[in-house]
Amino acid sequence: MYQIMIIEDDAVIQEELSVLLKSNGYEVILPKDFFNIISEIQNNPPHLLLLDINLPVQNGFKICSGIRTFSNVPIIFVTSRNTDMDELNSIMLGGDDFITKPYNTPILLARIASLLKRTYASEHAEVLKYGGVTLHLENSKIEYQGELAELTKNELKIMVYLFRNAGKIVPRADLVEYLWDSQLYVDDNALSVNITRIREKLKSIGVTDFIRTKHRQGYLI
């Protein structure tokens, strides 16, 4: 699942972009402060950056220049500045695309998808592996010894969370909150139903006891 960092100081626009991206299947990273943007990118590198120009501490041009000293991560400038010189500077300093506010949502999503596809097309499809089980994020399938089962959107999100916390007990409340933030609206009862369905699908490909229930604690793989 692709992770996109939003470097935007306007809280309303940041929230709008965050909801838009999550509802379209992306994970979102929001910088904690504008004094350590470069360090945050180095410590938690995203697959793509949405970068404003007018920012506190240092502007988007300087941040872009700094990123290009160590990373070729795709960068889309999303800004209210709309002169030819702004666009030229963004490209000259290493930006990959330039979109002005107010942006057209379908066009922004199309530009993001296109840039991700061009950048990562040569890499193998994103997968997560644990205990001999492989989760294919690109086509929502789970695999064991060559046998495949297809997961629904909710089931895939649950498994992604469990894979990324493999070896740890994941509280039910954390899973529900994670799914709710992803706009999937899964309540506690629905979570139980989804877990049951996932276990049935795992069983159909020869995997049993992969998701263990920890009484009054949560789930563990």
Side-chain angles (χ1 to χ4, degrees):
M1 187 170 295
Y2 290 116
Q3 295 181 324
I4 298 177
M5 179 178 284
I6 303 170
I7 304 178
E8 167 65 65
D9 64 330
D10 185 308
V12 174
I13 295 176
Q14 186 187 66
E15 175 63 17
E16 178 184 277
L17 284 170
S18 180
V19 170
L20 174 67
L21 294 175
K22 287 178 180 177
S23 64
N24 282 274
Y26 298 108
E27 290 195 352
V28 171
I29 302 172
L30 301 177
K32 292 181 174 58
D33 67 67
F34 288 94
F35 288 91
N36 298 296
I37 293 288
I38 297 296
S39 295
E40 288 200 38
I41 295 169
Q42 291 174 321
N43 294 332
N44 189 20
H47 293 100
L48 183 144
L49 281 156
L50 298 182
L51 178 60
D52 193 8
I53 294 176
N54 295 326
L55 295 168
V57 185
Q58 57 182 343
N59 66 39
F61 292 143
K62 290 184 178 178
I63 291 174
C64 183
S65 296
I67 293 169
R68 285 295 176 251
T69 63
F70 65 90
S71 172
N72 290 319
V73 62
I75 297 174
I76 299 178
F77 279 91
V78 182
T79 176
S80 57
R81 290 170 58 162
N82 58 4
T83 68
D84 290 343
M85 187 56 68
D86 289 324
E87 184 168 0
L88 177 62
N89 282 336
S90 72
I91 300 303
M92 293 296 289
L93 292 171
D96 296 279
D97 206 341
F98 186 91
I99 295 177
T100 57
K101 301 172 186 173
Y103 49 83
N104 179 292
T105 298
I107 290 177
L108 175 61
L109 289 171
R111 297 271 186 91
I112 290 171
S114 176
L115 190 49
L116 287 170
K117 185 177 181 180
R118 288 204 308 272
T119 304
Y120 300 106
S122 60
E123 297 184 2
H124 57 79
E126 190 174 2
V127 297
L128 298 174
K129 297 183 178 182
Y130 185 73
V133 178
T134 301
L135 188 63
H136 298 269
L137 279 67
E138 295 293 329
N139 56 14
S140 299
K141 291 185 178 179
I142 196 159
E143 178 184 2
Y144 180 69
Q145 295 184 347
E147 297 294 324
L148 291 164
E150 187 165 346
L151 303 175
T152 65
K153 185 177 181 179
N154 284 5
E155 293 164 357
L156 177 66
K157 293 288 292 185
I158 291 168
M159 290 309 294
V160 166
Y161 198 84
L162 291 176
F163 267 77
R164 288 183 172 159
N165 291 277
K168 305 175 186 175
I169 297 174
V170 175
R172 290 174 60 89
D174 286 4
L175 264 174
V176 171
E177 182 179 356
Y178 170 70
L179 294 165
W180 188 273
D181 283 345
S182 301
Q183 309 300 303
L184 294 176
Y185 305 110
V186 173
D187 62 23
D188 194 71
N189 290 330
L191 176 60
S192 298
V193 172
N194 276 275
I195 291 290
T196 298
R197 289 175 177 165
I198 294 170
R199 283 172 167 155
E200 290 172 352
K201 291 182 179 181
L202 285 166
K203 186 177 180 180
S204 73
I205 59 173
V207 184
T208 56
D209 298 326
F210 187 69
I211 302 174
R212 288 178 285 162
T213 299
K214 292 293 183 180
H215 185 58
R216 294 184 177 178
Q217 297 182 71
Y219 298 107
L220 171 71
I221 68 168

